[in-house]
Amino acid sequence: MTGTGEEVMFWILGPLAVLGALGLVFARKAVHAALGMAMTMIILGVFYIAQDADFLGVIQIFVYTGAVMMLFLFVLMLVGVDSSDSLVETLTGQRWATVVLALGLGGLLGFSIGHATFGSAVGLADVNAETGNVSGVAQLIFGRYVWVFETTSALLITAALGAMVLAHRERLGKGPDQKEWSKRRFKEGQHLAGLPAPGVYARHNAVDTPALLPDGTPSELSVSRVLTARDQNRSPEPYTEGELQIERDVQEGSER
């Protein structure tokens, strides 16, 4: 027997779970399909909690939605799948193989549902009476369904390794090393000693402070070009004015 609140929750979240599942199948972008799958998983976790399967509901949300779905999104970002890539058939006959496998899976599910016996079903309260929900789930995962559990773990690891292999890009040529950069600077005759480091002062030491050259003038090359483009570096004008003031003070002192 279910209460009114549980029925209302089911008729509200049930269609949303179906929409998320349909989005997984028919979404054009892989990221949208993954988000639809995440919504369905979260709703399933809510259903588990409503049926007094607290441990299973929390695991459904935290592990599958939080960890596994993040793994899927990480794989998608590594591979770079978009709507144009999904229309290209890289393996010959993969569409027909997908249709055959989908029909076989549908037939297997229909056969299993057709042989289900609803008369002998018991509630979770009776199942959890002896060992509890956590112990009962542990006995099923690491006992009766341990082979399925380990196979699923192997599939997830294989998916992660496959994503890294697909995301790997071979270099077209060898990049210049430190020695080649040094030779290039000497051939071009620019920055033979390298770029100056940022300034170090008594009250300030940061990458946004220009360094002072031996003659006392600030060097704009010592500040990162990124900080210059963002207008986040310190202007060399205060240091130039300070240098001129010191020179005036020295000159006045020599005249006296």
Side-chain angles (χ1 to χ4, degrees), residues 3-254:
T4 305
E6 186 175 351
E7 292 181 359
V8 172
M9 180 193 67
F10 175 79
W11 289 111
I12 293 177
L13 297 181
L16 294 178
V18 175
L19 290 177
L22 293 177
L24 170 65
V25 178
F26 297 104
R28 292 182 177 272
K29 294 186 177 181
V31 177
H32 295 168
L35 292 177
M37 185 176 180
M39 182 177 68
T40 303
M41 286 185 173
I42 293 175
I43 295 175
L44 288 178
V46 174
F47 287 159
Y48 291 148
I49 296 175
Q51 295 293 327
D52 295 332
D54 300 333
F55 178 77
L56 187 59
V58 172
I59 292 300
Q60 175 73 25
I61 295 176
F62 281 93
V63 176
Y64 285 93
T65 307
V68 178
M69 284 307 305
M70 289 302 102
L71 177 62
F72 289 165
L73 293 177
F74 177 70
V75 170
L76 293 177
M77 288 186 292
L78 280 179
V79 179
V81 178
D82 55 16
S83 59
S84 60
D85 294 334
S86 61
L87 299 178
V88 178
E89 185 175 359
T90 57
L91 299 177
T92 305
Q94 63 176 349
R95 295 180 183 272
W96 290 107
T98 303
V99 173
V100 173
L101 292 176
L103 293 177
L105 179 60
L108 181 61
L109 291 176
F111 178 80
S112 301
I113 295 175
H115 285 73
T117 56
F118 297 98
S120 60
V122 295
L124 288 178
D126 298 334
V127 176
N128 300 331
E130 297 181 0
T131 59
N133 184 247
V134 178
S135 300
V137 173
Q139 290 178 1
L140 290 176
I141 291 179
F142 299 104
R144 182 177 181 180
Y145 300 106
V146 62
W147 174 250
V148 179
F149 177 76
E150 294 298 335
T151 304
T152 305
S153 303
L155 288 176
L156 293 177
I157 296 175
T158 305
L161 294 177
M164 290 187 289
V165 172
L166 293 176
H168 179 68
R169 296 291 183 271
E170 296 291 341
R171 289 181 177 269
L172 298 179
K174 181 182 178 181
D177 53 10
Q178 189 71 18
K179 184 177 181 180
E180 294 178 356
W181 280 113
S182 178
K183 290 181 179 180
R184 182 180 301 179
R185 288 200 305 268
F186 276 90
K187 288 181 180 180
E188 296 176 355
Q190 297 179 355
H191 312 302
L192 301 182
L195 296 177
V200 179
Y201 300 95
R203 293 182 297 176
H204 191 77
N205 179 12
V207 295
D208 60 347
T209 305
L212 297 180
L213 298 177
D215 58 353
T217 58
S219 174
E220 297 182 357
L221 295 175
S222 62
V223 183
S224 174
R225 294 178 297 175
V226 177
L227 297 179
T228 304
R230 295 178 179 177
D231 197 16
Q232 296 178 348
N233 56 346
R234 292 175 175 264
S235 174
E237 295 178 358
Y239 307 102
T240 305
E241 296 176 358
E243 177 193 358
L244 296 177
Q245 182 63 35
I246 294 175
E247 292 179 356
R248 287 194 294 266
D249 294 341
V250 173
Q251 186 176 1
E252 291 178 359
S254 61

